[in-house]
């Protein structure tokens, strides 16, 4: 795991974070539920809580789908290529490429179809970008959520040990949980963090 | 567009699967230091986009220079690809994959592969 330079994180007084969707996207409840599931995965292993807000002004995190140049100097490039990007804490900017074909199913796609589809699993990308919003950078561990690339049709939504260790360096574990490491997927390579659990 | 299951994806989406924003990089396979090949400047833009080249210069040349070689080597290290500094098939396969738009390196530094330590056991 890695962090942004200076290791920015949400301040201690901010453990309850709110998120809102850009209203112009007119997202269905089904799509919004995908993001709720993605936030829950991080909430389970940290002291952070995430609540949906209807107010863009009051929300800590704003989520929107955009195409091409959309005002932050990081234009999207059409289907595939870059899929989404997110800011480091405490900015809370979460942008997804509106030109992608997003899959919002919870089921894994058949491996037979994987290599020939350009559809991207939304929850996988959401879990990754939320990692950035909370302060994690990219990881070289291929099984980790914070690994930067994902193949079309692939689905990777469970936090790996590497992700959990990284986020708990920033915020500590969930006081009501087991820390998540008992149930996390094992990652290859024998990564060590030096963190005392 | 949102699809609730894979069977609702129209056939065209499958046909277009190989079309990627970076598919043209595929023809750069085998390029090495000293060569000048159309498309290398676009590849340099890719590496700058993700933090592997930190210059502010916009008019990249199509020369396979030391800067590009260094960027490729760092990229290979970050993605656990054998570090050769060359545009081999495994590196290009990784480059054309869809990915997060956040850079892997910021201000020329990266901790992306720094946390990984290998433990050896003496027998």
């Amino acid at each position: 795991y890695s962090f942004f330079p200076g290791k920015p994180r949400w301040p201690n007084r901010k453990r309850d974070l709110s998120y809102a969707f850009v209203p112009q996207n007119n997202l269905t409840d089904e799509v919004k539920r995908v993001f709720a599931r993605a936030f829950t995965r991080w909430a389970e292993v940290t002291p952070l809580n995430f609540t949906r807000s209807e107010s863009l002004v009051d929300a800590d995190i704003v989520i929107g789908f955009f195409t091409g140049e959309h005002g932050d100097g990081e234009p999207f490039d059409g289907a595939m290529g870059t899929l989404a990007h997110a800011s480091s804490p405490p900015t809370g900017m979460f942008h997804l490429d509106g030109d992608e074909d997003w899959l919002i199913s919870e089921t894994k796609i058949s491996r037979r179809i994987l290599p020939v589809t350009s559809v991207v699993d939304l929850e996988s990308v959401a879990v990754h970008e939320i990692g950035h919003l909370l302060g994690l950078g990219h990881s070289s561990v291929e099984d980790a959520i914070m690994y930067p690339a994902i193949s079309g049709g692939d689905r990777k939504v469970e936090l790996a040990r590497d992700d959990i260790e990284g986020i708990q360096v920033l915020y500590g574990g969930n006081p009501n949980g087991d820390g998540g490491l008992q149930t996390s997927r094992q990652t290859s390579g024998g990564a060590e963090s030096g963190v005392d659990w | 567009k949102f699809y609730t299951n894979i069977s609702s994806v129209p056939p065209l989406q499958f046909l277009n699967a190989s079309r990627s924003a970076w598919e043209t990089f595929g023809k750069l396979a085998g390029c090495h230091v000293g060569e000048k090949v159309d498309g290398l400047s676009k590849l340099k833009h890719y590496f700058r986009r993700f933090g592997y080249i930190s210059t502010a210069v916009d008019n990249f040349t199509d020369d396979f220079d030391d800067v590009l070689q260094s960027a490729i080597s760092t990229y290979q290290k970050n993605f656990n690809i054998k570090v050769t500094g060359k545009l081999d098939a495994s590196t290009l396969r990784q480059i054309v994959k869809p990915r997060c738009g956040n850079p892997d390196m910021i201000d020329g530094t990266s901790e992306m592969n720094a946390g990984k330590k290998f433990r050896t056991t003496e027998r």
Side-chain angles (χ1 to χ4, degrees), chain A residues 153-191:
Chain A
D154 208 355
R155 177 168 167 84
K156 184 166 67 174
V157 293
E158 289 173 37
L159 300 183
R161 189 182 187 91
D162 185 70
D163 305 305
I164 297 171
E165 287 179 352
I167 203 66
Q168 292 186 346
V169 167
L170 291 177
Y171 299 100
N174 183 336
N176 304 316
D178 65 1
L181 290 171
Q182 299 300 318
T183 52
S184 74
R185 288 175 302 113
Q186 295 296 307
T187 56
S188 57

Side-chain angles (χ1 to χ4, degrees), chain B residues 53-70:
Chain B
I53 294 177
S54 51
T55 177
V57 174
D58 256 341
N59 54 341
F60 286 118
T61 67
D62 283 321
D63 297 307
F64 197 127
D65 49 27
D66 292 341
V67 174
L68 180 58
Q69 187 184 33
S70 169

Side-chain angles (χ1 to χ4, degrees), chain A residues 124-153:
Chain A
S124 302
V125 174
V127 179
H128 176 97
E129 298 304 329
I130 292 167
H132 286 316
L133 291 165
L134 301 182
L136 288 179
H138 285 150
S139 170
S140 284
V141 177
E142 197 168 352
D143 288 342
I145 286 292
M146 296 314 293
Y147 188 75
I150 187 166
S151 296

Side-chain angles (χ1 to χ4, degrees), chain A residues 44-107:
Chain A
E44 282 171 351
V45 297
T46 63
L48 301 169
N49 295 303
F50 302 96
T51 324
R52 190 173 133 200
S53 164
E54 297 302 325
S55 164
L56 275 188
V57 180
D58 297 332
D60 300 302
I61 295 166
V62 174
I63 303 169
F65 288 82
F66 302 94
T67 57
E69 178 57 67
H70 53 281
D72 63 1
E74 301 289 347
F76 284 123
D77 50 10
M80 309 304 270
T82 53
L83 307 171
H85 53 236
S87 60
S88 57
T91 306
M93 194 176 65
F94 180 176
H95 295 169
L96 299 106
D97 190 344
D99 281 328
E100 305 297 343
D101 295 307
W102 296 101
L103 187 68
I104 54 174
S105 162
E106 284 184 71
T107 52

